[in-house]
Amino acid sequence: MSGQYKTAWLCEALLVSRSGYYAWIKRRRFPGPRQLENMRLRERIREEFMRSRQTYGSPRLAQVLGCPSRRNRIARLMRLERIFARQRSKYRPMATDSRHGGPIAPNRLRALVVRRPNQVWATDVTCVLTAQGWYIWSLFWISLAGASSVGP
């Protein structure tokens, strides 16, 4: 467009100073040291991000790149590159009891060796809905060493 119109007129129409326009042209041809470093850093960010299977965010990438103090700069460059870490899924499937539909607690006592009575106790809480609409809660304690139990 500057071939058809004078640069001064175009700058005035766009509300830009002529010196600003020429500085912008010069910066496009000869980027400054910070812009060159940003270009190199963007390339390294892309490589490390792909190496991490697209899971690293800016804090981890800053640590991997060896510049933890530049976390905000790396976050800004990631936004410019439209690089976003994959979110970890919040959903965790659990095994369910087919009779009751509730989750099954993992058995953490398999490897436990009980040598004397009253060393390890287990509990169970059961809720029953009566015909009258009342909930009856039953709490049961049992010693894993023997047959003794405490409960209603």
Side-chain angles (χ1 to χ4, degrees), residues 124-142:
D124 183 33
V125 178
T126 304
C127 177
V128 179
L129 178 63
T130 65
Q132 293 83 15
W134 292 85
Y135 286 104
I136 297 176
W137 292 87
S138 174
L139 174 64
F140 190 76
W141 292 70
I142 185 168

Side-chain angles (χ1 to χ4, degrees), residues 1-148:
M1 246 186 138
S2 61
Q4 295 175 348
Y5 301 99
K6 290 185 177 182
T7 306
W9 290 353
L10 291 173
C11 289
E12 188 176 338
L14 296 173
L15 301 175
V16 177
S17 67
R18 279 192 300 165
S19 62
Y21 168 73
Y22 288 118
W24 175 72
I25 292 291
K26 183 181 176 186
R27 278 194 310 270
R28 287 185 63 192
R29 277 193 228 137
F30 308 107
R34 183 170 174 94
Q35 214 170 3
L36 288 173
E37 187 181 358
N38 279 346
M39 288 168 28
R40 284 191 293 265
L41 198 53
R42 277 178 161 185
E43 185 61 37
R44 289 182 60 203
I45 287 171
R46 277 193 299 269
E47 289 171 7
E48 289 298 330
F49 186 72
M50 293 313 247
R51 189 173 292 138
S52 75
R53 298 187 320 270
Q54 301 175 358
T55 57
Y56 283 5
S58 60
R60 262 202 179 153
L61 277 176
Q63 189 176 11
V64 168
L65 294 173
C67 46
S69 60
R70 296 187 192 173
R71 188 182 74 78
N72 291 330
R73 183 177 182 182
I74 289 173
R76 180 178 50 82
L77 294 175
M78 286 176 68
R79 278 192 305 272
L80 289 174
E81 290 286 319
R82 298 191 192 286
I83 292 176
F84 303 99
R86 274 195 252 158
Q87 294 284 323
R88 179 179 282 175
S89 172
K90 305 287 188 251
Y91 175 71
R92 297 285 184 262
M94 292 183 67
T96 56
D97 185 357
S98 61
R99 292 173 289 157
H100 305 293
I104 298 174
N107 187 355
R108 302 185 192 281
L109 299 174
R110 274 198 186 127
L112 184 67
V113 177
V114 181
R115 292 190 166 78
R116 61 184 194 284
N118 296 329
Q119 181 181 2
V120 178
W121 286 78
T123 62
D124 183 33
V125 178
T126 304
C127 177
V128 179
L129 178 63
T130 65
Q132 293 83 15
W134 292 85
Y135 286 104
I136 297 176
W137 292 87
S138 174
L139 174 64
F140 190 76
W141 292 70
I142 185 168
S143 172
L144 297 182
S148 63

